[in-house]
Amino acid sequence: SGEVLAAKAPHARHRPASLIKMLLALVVIDELPPNKIVQATKTDASQECTCIGIKAWQRYPVHKLFTGLLISSGNDAAHTLGTALGGNGKALRKMNAIARMLGALDTRAATVSGRGGTGMSSSAYDLALIYRAAMQQPRFAKAVRTTEMRFRWHERKRPITLYNDNRLLHGPDAYPGFLGGKTGFTD
């Protein structure tokens, strides 16, 4: 129902880390068809990792980048999708516009991946709003419950398998009835 059952400092601002990728995912859903092919740049491929293995000048379908963004928290995938949206500056403006539209007023995205970024912040309240909106999108819901995906990181190499890093979804820590989610880590 979206009803808040409990909260402690729900509007306290913190660094959202990779959870900011949920906003990028919402922009991608609105603007990039899943089967569109995008070419990674040298800058896309050289992001500080966590990465899914993007290589410069290789071409990737949006749906593979999108899923890698959410299950393996690929910073290289985030940058590549930002580039495909017209550049990371334009992608950030769109991410922040969606946050405002959702009423997530404690949120300011400063990078598409959640890495660094002066002034980037969010709150538990805002992340709940963003997550609720994201889970209403079938592409997002399907991606975050994907446990593994074959990914061809280079056209002349064997595909690799990407695994969902959310331990609540699979393995010994699996939580019955869990629908999927996006993880994040910050110091």
Side-chain angles (χ1 to χ4, degrees):
S1 71
E3 180 184 355
V4 176
L5 302 177
K8 179 179 179 183
H11 292 285
R13 293 182 182 191
H14 300 284
R15 297 187 60 80
S18 289
L19 298 178
I20 209 72
K21 289 177 174 129
M22 292 188 299
L23 281 175
L24 177 61
L26 288 171
V27 175
V28 169
I29 288 168
D30 284 347
E31 300 201 11
L32 295 177
N35 292 323
K36 178 181 173 106
I37 303 296
V38 298
Q39 185 174 36
T41 68
K42 188 174 183 179
T43 303
D44 298 334
S46 65
Q47 295 304 298
E48 190 172 336
C49 291
T50 306
C51 294
I52 63 171
I54 299 295
K55 297 296 177 199
W57 318 125
Q58 296 298 304
R59 297 165 51 90
Y60 303 97
V62 165
H63 70 92
K64 292 287 189 173
L65 295 172
F66 181 81
T67 303
L69 170 84
L70 295 170
I71 70 170
S72 294
S73 207
N75 293 337
D76 52 355
H79 204 279
T80 305
L81 290 167
T83 300
L85 288 162
N88 283 269
K90 189 178 277 189
L92 282 168
R93 285 190 293 280
K94 292 173 182 183
M95 290 165 66
N96 286 312
I98 286 178
R100 286 189 304 277
M101 181 201 66
L102 293 173
L105 304 179
D106 299 325
T107 297
R108 179 182 173 275
T111 66
V112 294
S113 67
R115 295 262 332 142
T118 303
M120 182 152 42
S121 69
S122 193
S123 65
Y125 179 87
D126 283 12
L127 290 173
L129 290 176
I130 294 164
Y131 196 76
R132 182 174 58 196
M135 284 300 283
Q136 291 172 355
Q137 300 294 324
R139 278 173 68 187
F140 182 91
K142 180 180 179 188
V144 296
R145 76 173 164 262
T146 299
T147 56
E148 63 183 64
M149 174 185 78
R150 300 291 285 161
F151 181 70
R152 185 172 295 281
W153 57 278
H154 189 288
E155 63 188 25
R156 292 189 298 263
K157 304 286 183 181
R158 288 181 169 211
I160 60 171
T161 302
L162 300 176
Y163 296 95
N164 195 317
D165 60 12
N166 194 323
R167 295 184 340 214
L168 294 176
L169 190 61
H170 56 87
D173 298 323
Y175 187 83
F178 184 64
L179 300 175
K182 173 74 189 86
T183 62
F185 173 81
T186 184
D187 292 336

